[in-house]
């Protein structure tokens, strides 16, 4: 059953459309563009309590996790966190998660729903918990789904520190710093935007925490605002910006979520080989979309260069400054300064690659293409 936030019943909360991946939490609170501006310039709070949370305890929790996820965590200090993946045997991304090491436990939180599943090599699906349970063998670890106990709220914006201080939360400035907060924790994130902090609070106290945070000056914002800033930050969402062939190198998860030097995890050979001797076949870019027709592509739609398909559309967002934007996986061979078409059927629009989203080898003229669409 999907997790449903009690804040959906609050005055002003607008639920997402039925086919939207952010089911269970407010999509916006009446003015999504103003919510974005506040999150970018001041401070806002987003209900992300639909995220699934696992707790891993036991004396071998770090050494065991080190063997089954893509990140180096044998020395993950208490009071820190990181991001990590589960890969299949070919190095394709199955699951993305964010970690927090608090006290005697490591918490793993993931996006909700089918996108948070891990694909079995021979087909079918298993949840992240099922995958971890299958890999436990004789290790001294315990795995517990605590999604019904802990809920995630995200405070974001340059004034997030002021709100944290009002809540008596003293958090370090380094990315992935973690401190215990009652029965939960606070974790600083490097995205989206300039300052973002995840708060894991008791689910039964979610409404009280929301009230305390907004009383401290944070504006209520929905997942619409969060996603727009996530897209601007070039941070992918599993199952939206990835497909069954995605490897970590294509979506900026090398380093942040996948370690290239450590061995002993499924898919590591692909990670090391592509990093050391090759280039990934695709790369994730930011597309500026022509918004004049007031139609937009959808996740999974093709990206074309002329009649040739060169990629797929991922997250599509309406940004308060950039206008309509999208993340897309495009072939490395596709020129970044070309005018592209994004969408399918009656929702095809012109698109231009933002050159700042392309590694150093990208060509600067892409900025001119983006300007043509805006002007």
């Amino acid at each position: 059953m999907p997790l449903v936030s009690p804040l959906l019943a609050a005055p002003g909360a607008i639920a997402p459309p039925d086919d939207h991946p952010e089911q269970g939490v407010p999509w916006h609170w009446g003015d999504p563009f103003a919510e974005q501006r506040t999150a970018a310039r001041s401070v806002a709070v987003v209900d992300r309590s639909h995220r699934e949370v696992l707790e891993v305890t036991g004396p071998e929790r770090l050494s065991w996790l080190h063997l089954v996820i893509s990140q180096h965590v044998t020395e993950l200090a208490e009071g820190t966190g990181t991001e990590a993946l589960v890969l299949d045997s070919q190095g394709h991304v199955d699951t993305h998660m964010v970690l927090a090491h608090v006290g005697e436990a490591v918490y793993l939180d993931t996006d909700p729903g089918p996108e948070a599943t891990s694909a079995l090599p021979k087909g079918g699906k298993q949840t992240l918990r099922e995958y971890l349970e299958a890999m436990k063998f004789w290790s001294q670890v315990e795995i517990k789904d605590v999604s019904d106990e802990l809920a995630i709220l995200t405070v974001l914006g340059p004034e997030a520190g002021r709100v944290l201080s009002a809540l008596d939360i003293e958090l370090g400035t380094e990315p992935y710093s973690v401190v215990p907060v009652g029965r939960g924790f606070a974790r600083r994130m490097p995205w989206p935007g300039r300052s973002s902090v995840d708060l894991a609070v008791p689910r039964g106290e979610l409404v009280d925490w929301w009230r305390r945070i907004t009383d401290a000056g944070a504006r209520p914002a929905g997942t619409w605002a969060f996603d727009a800033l996530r897209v601007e930050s070039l941070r992918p969402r599993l199952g939206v910006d990835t497909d069954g062939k995605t490897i970590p190198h294509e979506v900026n998860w090398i380093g942040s979520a996948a370690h290239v030097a450590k061995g002993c995890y499924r898919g590591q050979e692909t990670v090391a080989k592509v990093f050391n001797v090759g280039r990934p076949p695709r790369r994730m870019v930011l597309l500026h979309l022509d918004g004049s027709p007031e139609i937009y592509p959808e996740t999974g739609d093709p990206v074309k260069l002329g009649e040739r398909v060169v990629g797929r559309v991922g997250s599509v967002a309406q940004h308060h400054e950039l206008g309509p934007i999208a993340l897309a996986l495009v072939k490395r061979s596709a020129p970044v300064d070309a005018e592209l078409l994004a969408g399918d059927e009656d929702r095809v629009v012109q698109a231009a690659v933002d050159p700042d989203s392309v590694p150093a080898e990208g060509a600067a003229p892409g900025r001119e293409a983006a300007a043509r669409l805006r002007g």
Side-chain angles (χ1 to χ4, degrees):
M1 292 289 292
L3 297 165
V4 178
S5 172
L7 292 172
L8 275 175
I14 305 298
D18 290 341
D19 58 349
H20 198 276
E22 303 288 3
Q23 297 298 315
V25 293
W27 192 31
H28 62 84
W29 294 81
D31 194 341
F33 292 111
E35 293 164 25
Q36 287 181 49
R37 285 192 293 271
T38 302
R41 301 171 186 175
S42 180
V43 58
V45 57
V46 180
D47 180 3
R48 301 174 69 219
S49 61
H50 57 339
R51 286 181 67 79
E52 298 173 359
V53 186
L54 300 182
E55 178 189 67
V56 180
T57 57
E60 297 180 344
R61 61 189 179 280
L62 293 180
S63 59
W64 172 76
L65 278 170
H66 186 79
L67 297 176
V68 298
I69 61 177
S70 63
Q71 190 58 280
H72 197 299
V73 294
T74 54
E75 299 177 1
L76 185 68
E78 182 181 343
T80 63
T82 187
E83 297 179 53
L85 308 170
V86 172
L87 308 177
D88 69 14
S89 57
Q90 284 76 47
H92 302 138
V93 178
D94 281 349
T95 309
H96 172 264
M97 69 201 83
V98 189
L99 281 63
H101 190 187
V102 186
E104 299 297 317
V106 177
Y107 294 93
L108 322 174
D109 57 284
T110 68
D111 282 319
E115 296 84 5
T117 61
S118 175
L120 291 166
K122 300 298 182 182
K125 291 286 185 179
Q126 64 179 164
T127 65
L128 175 59
R129 182 181 179 181
E130 289 169 343
Y131 164 75
L132 295 177
E133 289 284 2
M135 300 299 292
K136 188 166 68 171
F137 301 110
W138 299 279
S139 300
Q140 298 181 56
V141 296
E142 295 295 331
I143 304 158
K144 181 182 179 183
D145 188 337
V146 293
S147 304
D148 289 337
E149 301 174 24
L150 290 177
I152 304 294
L153 299 174
T154 297
V155 180
L156 64 165
E159 297 182 22
R162 172 173 57 81
V163 170
L164 294 180
S165 294
L167 300 173
D168 295 323
I169 298 173
E170 298 297 329
L171 184 61
T173 59
E174 292 297 315
Y176 307 109
S177 298
V178 177
V179 294
V181 178
R183 288 179 287 159
F185 59 86
R187 175 184 59 211
R188 187 172 298 283
M189 294 294 293
W191 58 273
R194 291 180 290 169
S195 180
S196 178
V197 175
D198 291 336
L199 294 178
V201 302
R203 186 166 293 274
E205 301 173 13
L206 177 63
V207 174
D208 291 338
W209 272 95
W210 181 266
R211 186 178 299 113
R212 290 176 61 194
I213 293 169
T214 54
D215 286 349
R219 176 175 184 154
T223 54
W224 177 324
F226 184 92
D227 271 347
L229 298 177
R230 174 182 62 80
V231 170
E232 180 191 19
S233 300
L234 294 174
R235 298 288 180 160
R237 173 170 175 161
L238 187 76
V240 178
D241 301 300
T242 66
D243 56 23
K245 300 178 181 178
T246 303
I247 60 176
H249 318 66
E250 296 176 325
V251 290
N252 303 333
W253 273 335
I254 291 297
S256 63
H259 199 280
V260 298
K262 89 176 185 89
C264 303
Y265 67 91
R266 193 172 68 184
Q268 183 271 339
E269 183 178 355
T270 297
V271 170
K273 182 177 180 180
V274 175
F275 180 78
N276 290 316
V277 302
R279 292 181 175 180
R282 301 176 297 178
R283 56 190 169 196
M284 186 178 67
V285 298
L286 177 67
L287 295 181
H288 294 271
L289 306 175
D290 181 6
S292 57
E294 296 186 355
I295 55 175
Y296 306 104
E298 297 178 357
T299 299
D301 279 352
V303 177
K304 293 184 177 180
L305 177 60
E307 295 298 319
R308 181 167 63 98
V309 175
V310 295
R312 69 176 293 276
V313 175
S315 298
V316 181
Q318 299 287 326
H319 192 276
H320 70 105
E321 289 183 337
L322 301 177
I325 55 176
L327 294 178
L329 274 176
V330 299
K331 293 180 179 179
R332 181 169 289 276
S333 60
V336 298
D337 57 348
E339 292 188 357
L340 305 173
L341 296 174
D344 198 13
E345 299 177 346
D346 59 351
R347 53 181 183 272
V348 178
V349 299
Q350 286 186 302
V353 174
D354 189 319
D356 292 338
S357 69
V358 182
E361 73 220 45
R367 177 67 73 183
E368 298 174 6
R372 287 198 298 272
L373 288 187
R374 293 175 187 167

